[in-house]
Amino acid sequence: MKVTIKTPSKAYIEATQEELDLLRYNLTYTNNSAAHDLKRLYSNHWFRAKNKQKWEEAIEQTKKRVKNTLIFEDDKGLYIRPGSLSYLNTENIQIVNEINYPKTKAVVWAKQLPFELYSYQVESWKNLLEIKHGNVELCTGSGKSAILLKICREIGLKTAIIAPSKSIFNELLKKFEYHLGKGKVGAFGAGKKKLGKLFTVCISDSLCNVKPDTEEWEFFSKLDCIIVDESHTFAAETLEEICHGVLSSVPYRFFFSGTQTRNDGTEKLLQSIIGKTVHSLSTKKAIEGGFICPHDYKIVSIESSNPNYNSQDVLDMKRQHFLKNKNICAFIAKLSNVAASTSKQQTLILVEELEQISMLIKLLKVPFSYAHSEKKTERLLELGLTKVDPDESVKKFNSGEVSVLIGTSCIATGTNIFPTHNTINW
């Protein structure tokens, strides 16, 4: 079999039927999320009764998403994604790479990193530059942002740095402006649009909305490099849409995450996008190496505060016995109060719903802040909460102004929270 990589997103195949059948087998996967959606549609008798035609159309569209094969065809022939090659047995595959990679040119730091990179960080950025399309798998707290900055500084080419959320976007934007200079750094997302710079920090959702024949498409499609942070947190189809859509012609491709895996069956799709893993560091290895502090995990079993409540709705049961559990709330508040008043320890509390914040703040006796993304005034008034800037809430916690920070998913991933002694996941 011969594979010719013509573009960063298309590797054309010359193969016998037997080789093609084997390739098809290795690059076929089942999207479990789509399979679950299909099952729910079949069970949706209300939808079927209300509009059978639309119900049948939804069934057919969802069926197409269940079984997928990562072999495609255009007017030039059959092709696969270049990223998939790292996960195939390439002993009998002749690979020709025709991509033109622009020459790298390091830029001057505006403010140099205030520390020397660890050996695994150096290996990560050097291995990525060497392979040109690949990923690293580094645990939380291992300093992925420092590697991002270093590799951008070393490559010195027009680059998009893509974040999955507003909180990570804001963190990265601040760091890039500080270390590489505001004159070199643009932004695209969260109400910001500053194009034409050497480095552009973006939010994935904003890139998904970029349309052909626009100023944004013209700019992003002609970049030299893309860097994706927390790549495993993206929906695989979203990452596919970005990297093989508006950014399909960008040659250098680097992906960072704590774990480059998926639990919805789309791991082969993710692999086709992110390429080969060139360095890994698990939490266990990071602790053994002295790179991050040890962790002490405890699971606390607490009885329901409403033990007689029963329902056929599983989500309702979860909400009543877990998310609205007054016993859990009292335990968390007591632990947080005692940790702050007796040991001067700070506590981060991660919650799922606004109502949990409302319950907790009534029991906390020490200074606290909270972070959420709710904008509806009526909903906040109902719960006795106020609109907040998550960045300001985190800043108060990091500076020691408050002892407790309560946060929803808006700060759960990628937000730098430094002085945490206790983290409670409710």
Side-chain angles (χ1 to χ4, degrees):
M1 184 190 300
K2 181 180 178 181
V3 175
T4 305
I5 305 174
K6 290 284 188 182
T7 75
S9 58
K10 292 184 178 182
Y12 288 89
I13 310 160
E14 297 175 46
T16 65
Q17 188 59 51
E18 184 180 354
E19 289 171 331
L20 193 58
D21 289 343
L22 181 60
L23 186 64
R24 194 178 302 277
Y25 173 79
N26 288 325
L27 292 179
T28 297
Y29 66 93
T30 299
N31 185 328
N32 295 330
S33 293
H36 179 68
D37 289 342
L38 184 62
K39 185 178 179 181
R40 291 181 63 185
L41 276 170
Y42 276 124
S43 302
N44 194 335
H45 303 299
W46 175 86
F47 186 11
R48 182 179 182 178
K50 185 176 182 183
N51 193 323
K52 188 177 180 181
Q53 183 180 343
K54 284 194 174 181
W55 176 79
E56 289 174 344
E57 289 173 0
I59 291 283
E60 290 306 311
Q61 287 300 316
T62 308
K63 277 183 180 178
K64 293 175 184 177
R65 293 174 47 231
V66 176
K67 206 77 170 177
N68 304 273
T69 300
L70 296 169
I71 299 178
F72 311 93
E73 187 172 12
D74 63 11
D75 56 359
K76 295 178 182 177
L78 294 174
Y79 66 91
I80 63 174
R81 302 301 184 192
S84 293
L85 288 168
S86 303
Y87 301 91
L88 300 173
N89 182 355
T90 56
E91 287 180 6
N92 299 316
I93 301 178
Q94 178 190 355
I95 300 173
V96 179
N97 191 344
E98 297 183 356
I99 297 174
N100 177 37
Y101 295 95
K103 188 176 179 181
T104 61
K105 43 189 176 183
V107 297
V108 178
W109 290 108
K111 288 186 177 64
Q112 198 158 355
L113 293 172
F115 47 79
E116 291 293 322
L117 294 182
Y118 287 122
S119 58
Y120 69 84
Q121 293 174 309
V122 174
E123 286 180 48
S124 292
W125 76 260
K126 284 187 175 180
N127 290 349
L128 284 171
L129 274 189
E130 184 179 349
I131 200 171
K132 299 179 178 61
H133 178 180
N135 73 84
V136 292
E137 193 174 53
L138 306 174
C139 67
T140 299
S142 58
K144 291 188 285 291
S145 298
I147 307 172
L148 284 172
L149 288 161
K150 177 66 174 175
I151 202 168
C152 283
R153 187 261 177 185
E154 294 296 330
I155 201 169
L157 297 171
K158 292 180 292 182
T159 301
I161 302 93
I162 304 166
S165 65
K166 183 180 177 182
S167 61
I168 299 177
F169 166 83
N170 287 328
E171 290 272 0
L172 289 174
L173 184 58
K174 287 176 191 174
K175 289 184 177 182
F176 270 78
E177 288 179 343
Y178 181 80
H179 289 290
L180 294 171
K182 285 189 175 182
K184 292 188 179 75
V185 179
F188 188 65
K192 298 180 175 70
K193 180 184 169 184
K194 187 175 160 185
L195 303 181
K197 301 297 182 181
L198 188 61
F199 308 112
T200 308
V201 183
C202 317
I203 296 180
S204 57
D205 286 349
S206 299
L207 282 175
C208 284
N209 293 324
V210 172
K211 305 296 181 187
D213 302 320
T214 60
E215 174 197 6
E216 294 86 353
W217 187 281
E218 178 76 9
F219 173 72
F220 286 111
S221 64
K222 293 183 177 178
L223 296 180
D224 303 309
C225 177
I226 56 174
I227 297 177
V228 179
D229 193 21
E230 301 293 351
S231 50
H232 83 284
T233 64
F234 289 75
E237 289 88 351
T238 301
L239 205 57
E240 160 86 356
E241 182 181 348
I242 296 170
C243 296
H244 297 148
V246 63
L247 301 173
S248 61
S249 299
V250 180
Y252 288 95
R253 295 170 172 249
F254 308 131
F255 300 84
F256 291 72
S257 190
T259 170
Q260 300 285 13
T261 57
R262 303 282 302 174
N263 59 9
D264 60 359
T266 61
E267 193 161 305
K268 288 185 179 181
L269 176 57
L270 178 65
Q271 291 169 347
S272 76
I273 301 165
I274 64 176
K276 185 178 181 179
T277 301
V278 298
H279 201 78
S280 297
L281 182 72
S282 66
T283 299
K284 182 181 178 182
K285 291 293 183 184
I287 292 171
E288 290 173 355
F291 305 129
I292 63 175
C293 66
H295 296 60
D296 182 17
Y297 295 97
K298 285 184 170 64
I299 298 175
V300 183
S301 297
I302 296 176
E303 292 183 357
S304 173
S305 56
N306 191 6
N308 295 322
Y309 185 87
N310 198 16
S311 171
Q312 295 299 313
D313 186 336
V314 176
L315 293 178
D316 187 38
M317 289 288 280
K318 175 189 175 183
R319 189 165 285 113
Q320 289 297 328
H321 295 297
F322 182 63
L323 301 181
K324 292 184 178 181
N325 192 324
K326 294 177 182 177
N327 294 336
I328 294 177
C329 183
F331 174 86
I332 293 173
K334 185 174 182 180
L335 189 151
S336 304
N337 288 333
V338 171
S341 57
T342 62
S343 306
K344 306 299 180 189
Q345 292 184 351
Q346 290 178 262
T347 301
L348 168 67
I349 306 170
L350 298 174
V351 299
E352 192 169 328
E353 296 186 349
L354 288 174
E355 191 166 341
Q356 293 168 278
I357 301 178
S358 181
M359 292 169 68
L360 279 166
I361 62 176
K362 296 169 185 174
L363 301 179
L364 289 173
K365 308 298 182 186
V366 294
F368 62 85
S369 62
Y370 51 81
H372 60 75
S373 55
E374 180 61 64
K375 301 299 180 188
K376 294 179 181 176
T377 304
E378 303 81 10
R379 176 64 175 150
L380 293 172
L381 282 173
E382 176 189 337
L383 295 171
L385 302 176
T386 59
K387 289 183 182 178
V388 292
D389 179 349
D391 290 340
E392 283 301 312
S393 299
V394 173
K395 186 177 179 181
K396 287 181 181 179
F397 188 71
N398 284 346
S399 66
E401 186 179 336
V402 299
S403 302
V404 176
L405 171 62
I406 313 168
T408 61
S409 59
C410 71
I411 62 163
T413 304
T415 303
N416 286 326
I417 301 171
F418 302 109
T420 306
H421 300 92
N422 309 297
T423 300
I424 299 173
N425 184 17
W426 180 17

